[in-house]
Amino acid sequence: MDLSYTLVFTVFPYLCLTTFVVGHSYRYVTDRYAWNARSSQLLDNKSLRWGTVLFHLGIILTFLGHAGGLLIPQKYYDLFGITSQMHLAIAHWMGEVVGIAALAGCLLLLRRRLTNDRVRAAGSVNDLITLGGLTLVVAGGVYNVFFGNYNVLDSVAPWIRGIVFFSPEPELMRPVPLGFKIHVTLAWALLGFSPFSRLVHIWSAPVFYFFRNPILFRRNPELTRKVVDSRS
Amino acid sequence: MKIRAQYAMVLNLDKCIGCHTCSIPCKNVWTNRDGAEYMWFNNVECKPGIGYPKKWENQEIHKGGWHLNGDTLQLKAGGRIHKGLNIFHNPDLPVIDDYYEPWNYDYARLIESPKRKHQPSVRPHSRLTGKPIDLKWGPNWEDDLAGLGETGAGDANFKNLEIATYLQFRNVFMFWLPRLCEHCLNPACVASCPSGALYKREEDGIVLVDQERCRGWRYCVSGCPYKKVYFNWKTGRAEKCIFCYPRVEAGLTTLCAHSCVGRIRYVGVLLYDLDRIAETAAAPSDQDVYPAHLDILLDPNDPDIERAAASQGIAPNMLAAAKKSPVYALIKDWRLALPLHPEFRTLPMVWYVPPLSPVSRQIDPSQEADAIDRMRIPITYLANLLTAGDEAPVRMALQRLAAVRRYMRTQRVEKQADTGVLDAVGLDEETVAKIYRLLALARLEDRFVLPTKSVVQDEDSYARQGCCGFGEAL
Ligand code: HEM
Ligand code: SF4
Ligand code: SF4
């Protein structure tokens, strides 16, 4: 076994995943005050619109695509009559569409962050790293979809499943072209960085809003105690 | 019937002198920080005018509050699905220029300038970017009707009025409208928040943003029809008027009310029926909302209500305050105070006594009865502001105010009290004495009747001594 492969394709991913899990927990407990999307729409509305919509739609679909395509083994797709050929074709075409959307969004947002005086003044270096990192990862992904021309189902996908299910096999990455190697490594790095950025907002996507009462009341817990007391 | 207690405020516009004193302690204590520097939890607008943020009253633009869709009540901006789909870019969010771009002056230049032929000057620079800016708009930009010719036509309260007439110099009118969060009974901000960060305090109705749960989705900002939730551009969270709850819990009134030079503000407790909020907010027409709202405010001196309130856990001191509430008297007993834009259907709890104004033409004393309709401030304008266009309650409130004045004048100056004016507006001498005491003398202890926060009996307060406060931070 080659040490460099173990380091890059086993140790590094686990390092990033650990930071990801521990970082999120730590921040949620100690720094909930800053856990939000840090919207900059108030400062500049017009230039945000297309960038953010394209980016989010693109990235969320990309996210789902990656989860579905990489984490679920091909044999389950075969059960539904989706051959690996079809799977690759779907991944290819969908990837091109949502990847381009996400990339265009990234570039629009990046331009806004760099050129709009107000957004720049209110933003932080962290915001730039986040967006810059995302742009690199997305650009790498789009490059691979267009020019990679490589079957990831038998190499990258089982390697990622290996990491997720704690039986890493770095050797699976040996035949993979450089473009893919760079893409996955940057993606792990971004994952490790994300708890310390505004990306934490992803995990607060407001799903409960769809089920709750419109008007919320909260009672001072001290008073609740008192009511109980007076009845007893 | 489910009884809840609620703090409410009444502002007597008849006495507001537009001094802005109320805004200052509020700013100094709550929003004197970067990111909040443009926020005025309390601001004083000069009417007519488009206000702060620009045209906040026009919900065709801002899409705040609720509306009736058929006969179901819905957020005007759209429901949960719409919010979910547009969360990446809120189509109805005002931009900071609608409030104003905050600015500062570099005063050091005055001191540090070398000796020159001309005096040094300071230019305004933006607090967002630090760059010099040309001021074209600010908070109170329209004070004392400045720029009325340009902005006046955008005032939504001119509905059904010939705007051009009232922009002519000889017809012009003016009054002030101090504004703060209404701590609504049916708050659109709370219903708009995807995270559930905004809530209403069950024990006193104060509406707050939980700063640790706000994720910055910024729907409360656009959802509030009064535009009284602000987005802190530095921290990425929403902030709003907190009704000075740390003071109120200690039995003190809010900073804006306490500092009011005109002594126009009244703060007290109301009881209302929570079970009827939904039907009230969904009253069939816009003009039905105000009477329906009045209807769910319960009489704390009715023994049945009192008993029910006590058995439902309303604290005894809260109940005692409700019985002496100056706001209940102004709102319900005397019908002098009216809600602000009830057609937004949030059931606001900061109400206003409409202002009397000079009579615009010389009239024959025999016609004094319809002097109200000849006042400079058109009744229609006030009705659009306070009762969704229904002129009857506004006229009644103004007639009562005028009758109290007339009665007191005859009593004090002419030494011959004229009770005829009272009969015409349905008041008696005893009531007038109370109104006079509350509105004209306006003693501190009458204006503010606030209980202290209920303290839990089993609490060992000695053990808690020195346990709260700023601690290490200072
Ligand atoms: C899951 C649901 C998500 C929701 C509801 C959401 C919502 C938002 C909102 C409201 C903003 C603020 C936009 C503004 O007003 O300035 C934002 C910004 C941002 N989001 Fe998301 N987001 C989601 C998922 C994601 C994902 C999956 C990513 C990337 C992996 C992402 C990356 C970003 C970035 C980088 C920004 C900053 C854009 C900028 O201003 O430069 N978001 N998001
Ligand atoms: S006025 Fe206050 S309570 Fe009412 S909707 Fe606006 S922010 Fe919420
Ligand atoms: S302090 Fe009182 S009188 Fe002065 S502007 Fe405010 S509300 Fe009006």
Side-chain angles (χ1 to χ4, degrees):
Chain A
M1 255 208 337
D2 187 338
L3 181 67
S4 67
Y5 268 78
T6 312
L7 279 181
V8 177
F9 296 110
T10 301
V11 176
F12 185 66
Y14 277 118
L15 211 64
C16 294
L17 278 174
T18 312
T19 342
F20 179 84
V21 174
V22 177
H24 274 107
S25 325
Y26 179 77
R27 239 192 113 192
Y28 192 74
V29 174
T30 61
D31 187 27
R32 206 167 310 168
Y33 195 51
W35 185 288
N36 66 45
R38 302 199 19 81
S39 163
S40 55
Q41 190 180 347
L42 182 81
L43 298 178
D44 183 66
N45 189 348
K46 286 205 190 83
S47 70
L48 176 73
R49 180 153 182 216
W50 284 108
T52 185
V53 171
L54 280 173
F55 166 74
H56 276 99
L57 289 183
I59 201 87
I60 288 173
L61 291 174
T62 311
F63 225 65
L64 295 178
H66 278 63
L70 297 175
L71 293 181
I72 304 173
Q74 178 59 36
K75 61 178 186 224
Y76 294 109
Y77 287 95
D78 289 333
L79 289 182
F80 292 95
I82 300 172
T83 64
S84 80
Q85 232 32 46
M86 288 159 73
H87 188 170
L88 277 178
I90 294 171
H92 186 79
W93 291 111
M94 294 297 286
E96 282 188 2
V97 174
V98 299
I100 288 286
L103 184 60
C106 273
L107 294 175
L108 286 171
L109 287 174
L110 205 56
R111 184 181 71 175
R112 172 172 182 268
R113 283 229 157 255
L114 292 171
T115 60
N116 188 297
D117 281 343
R118 290 181 183 173
V119 177
R120 209 170 55 187
S124 60
V125 180
N126 190 312
D127 292 337
L128 272 179
I129 298 176
T130 311
L131 202 51
L134 273 165
T135 311
L136 288 181
V137 175
V138 174
V142 170
Y143 172 86
N144 290 335
V145 170
F146 274 89
F147 309 108
N149 201 14
Y150 178 75
N151 183 351
V152 292
L153 293 184
D154 306 327
S155 49
V156 182
W159 166 68
I160 290 194
R161 286 200 293 277
I163 288 180
V164 173
F165 297 112
F166 300 104
S167 51
E169 289 178 76
E171 291 303 315
L172 279 171
M173 287 303 282
R174 192 172 289 280
V176 174
L178 184 65
F180 287 86
K181 286 180 176 155
I182 294 178
H183 175 65
V184 294
T185 308
L186 280 176
W188 286 124
L190 192 65
L191 220 56
F193 174 69
S194 70
F196 311 103
S197 73
R198 57 149 37 121
L199 292 182
V200 291
H201 74 275
I202 301 169
W203 313 108
S204 291
V207 267
F208 294 111
Y209 184 49
F210 294 94
F211 311 107
R212 70 148 221 248
N213 267 340
I215 307 294
L216 303 176
F217 282 89
R218 287 197 206 170
R219 192 169 175 76
N220 183 343
E222 287 181 18
L223 296 182
T224 311
R225 248 197 294 143
K226 183 177 175 191
V227 170
V228 172
D229 287 349
S230 68
R231 278 189 196 143
S232 58
Chain B
M1 187 166 58
K2 203 174 202 174
I3 303 177
R4 287 273 162 92
Q6 163 84 35
Y7 283 124
M9 191 186 285
V10 169
L11 290 84
N12 180 3
L13 297 185
D14 199 34
K15 287 171 74 181
C16 178
I17 55 174
C19 60
H20 300 268
T21 308
C22 43
S23 305
I24 302 303
C26 176
K27 162 114 308 222
N28 282 343
V29 173
W30 303 126
T31 58
N32 197 0
R33 297 163 277 133
D34 277 353
E37 71 293 89
Y38 84 94
M39 301 175 192
W40 294 85
F41 289 172
N42 181 96
N43 74 302
V44 183
E45 272 162 37
C46 190
K47 286 288 175 187
I50 56 176
Y52 158 88
K54 291 177 189 162
K55 300 192 179 173
W56 61 271
E57 291 160 290
N58 187 339
Q59 305 310 342
E60 295 315 309
I61 300 174
H62 288 290
K63 304 274 196 299
W66 305 85
H67 71 155
L68 276 190
N69 187 357
D71 35 50
T72 48
L73 190 67
Q74 284 180 348
L75 287 171
K76 179 133 181 140
R80 302 165 202 235
I81 307 285
H82 178 272
K83 288 203 164 47
L85 291 174
N86 287 283
I87 196 164
F88 313 119
H89 178 271
N90 176 350
D92 307 313
L93 192 77
V95 282
I96 199 162
D97 307 272
D98 290 330
Y99 302 86
Y100 68 100
E101 180 164 356
W103 71 85
N104 223 338
Y105 297 96
D106 185 7
Y107 293 108
R109 277 190 55 160
L110 297 179
I111 302 164
E112 287 159 7
S113 166
K115 200 164 181 183
R116 286 220 187 90
K117 198 162 152 225
H118 299 289
Q119 286 186 10
S121 66
V122 287
R123 286 193 55 194
H125 61 259
S126 164
R127 283 186 69 169
L128 300 177
T129 61
K131 295 192 174 163
I133 51 173
D134 282 328
L135 300 182
K136 297 241 169 60
W137 186 254
N140 305 330
W141 204 251
E142 300 173 299
D143 213 357
D144 300 339
L145 297 187
L148 182 69
E150 271 181 43
T151 58
D155 184 333
N157 300 304
F158 279 120
K159 201 170 104 186
N160 301 333
L161 282 171
E162 187 62 58
I163 295 186
T165 312
Y166 292 99
L167 299 186
Q168 281 172 10
F169 188 62
R170 63 192 167 88
N171 293 326
V172 98
F173 63 91
M174 173 177 106
F175 61 97
W176 284 279
L177 180 71
R179 299 208 299 121
L180 60 152
C181 165
E182 302 273 350
H183 297 275
C184 307
L185 298 184
N186 184 37
C189 57
V190 174
S192 301
C193 173
S195 314
L198 284 102
Y199 63 98
K200 213 170 156 56
R201 302 212 306 188
E202 203 176 296
E203 60 276 12
D204 56 17
I206 296 178
V207 176
L208 295 175
V209 185
D210 180 340
Q211 293 288 313
E212 292 208 335
R213 255 178 96 166
C214 173
R215 303 283 169 253
W217 306 128
R218 55 185 159 19
Y219 275 125
C220 55
V221 178
S222 51
C224 168
Y226 302 94
K227 288 292 163 287
K228 279 294 169 185
V229 190
Y230 301 88
F231 194 82
N232 184 319
W233 52 267
K234 188 141 189 161
T235 62
R237 283 188 305 271
E239 295 182 25
K240 64 178 288 300
C241 159
I242 59 173
F243 212 71
C244 292
Y245 74 81
R247 287 175 56 89
V248 164
E249 285 176 2
L252 300 168
T253 187
T254 63
L255 288 162
C256 55
H258 200 137
S259 63
C260 179
V261 173
R263 302 202 289 182
I264 75 155
R265 297 194 183 217
Y266 301 83
V267 182
V269 178
L270 292 176
L271 301 180
Y272 69 97
D273 182 359
L274 183 67
D275 284 337
R276 281 154 67 201
I277 294 291
E279 68 184 71
T280 305
S285 84
D286 285 349
Q287 295 194 352
D288 295 333
V289 180
Y290 161 62
H293 192 168
L294 269 185
D295 220 35
I296 57 168
L297 301 179
L298 304 172
D299 181 358
N301 289 311
D302 174 339
D304 287 340
I305 304 280
E306 216 183 317
R307 223 171 301 123
S311 76
Q312 292 185 23
I314 306 278
N317 59 350
M318 204 68 169
L319 205 53
K323 292 165 75 100
K324 292 194 300 170
S325 173
V327 293
Y328 185 83
L330 288 164
I331 288 174
K332 189 122 179 201
D333 286 340
W334 308 331
R335 306 286 157 102
L336 291 176
L338 302 164
L340 180 65
H341 288 299
E343 71 275 19
F344 297 162
R345 295 174 183 274
T346 59
L347 310 182
M349 286 318 314
V350 173
W351 290 37
Y352 295 87
V353 177
L356 290 167
S357 50
V359 173
S360 53
R361 269 166 293 144
Q362 197 75 46
I363 48 161
D364 195 83
S366 66
Q367 289 178 309
E368 191 147 16
D370 50 70
I372 298 296
D373 285 295
R374 294 163 189 263
M375 289 186 169
R376 285 200 83 89
I377 306 177
I379 297 261
T380 313
Y381 185 93
L382 291 173
N384 285 337
L385 187 75
L386 300 172
T387 50
D390 184 1
E391 295 181 10
V394 180
R395 189 171 287 116
M396 172 56 86
L398 291 175
Q399 276 168 345
R400 286 189 163 173
L401 289 178
V404 172
R405 277 196 196 181
R406 164 98 189 124
Y407 170 83
M408 292 307 297
R409 191 168 68 231
T410 56
Q411 190 200 56
R412 293 293 174 91
V413 182
E414 297 166 14
K415 307 286 182 204
Q416 176 78 57
D418 175 0
T419 50
V421 289
L422 300 184
D423 298 338
V425 294
L427 295 175
D428 54 41
E429 287 181 277
E430 195 190 339
T431 313
V432 169
K434 285 188 195 155
I435 296 179
Y436 174 75
R437 184 182 161 89
L438 196 59
L439 292 187
L441 303 184
R443 297 210 164 90
L444 190 91
E445 66 273 22
D446 294 336
R447 273 181 288 145
F448 310 127
V449 181
L450 289 98
T452 50
K453 182 184 131 188
S454 318
V455 181
V456 182
Q457 275 115 21
D458 61 356
E459 186 171 281
D460 181 0
S461 39
Y462 189 69
R464 284 187 48 179
Q465 189 182 26
C467 290
C468 54
F470 291 102
E472 304 291 310
L474 285 184

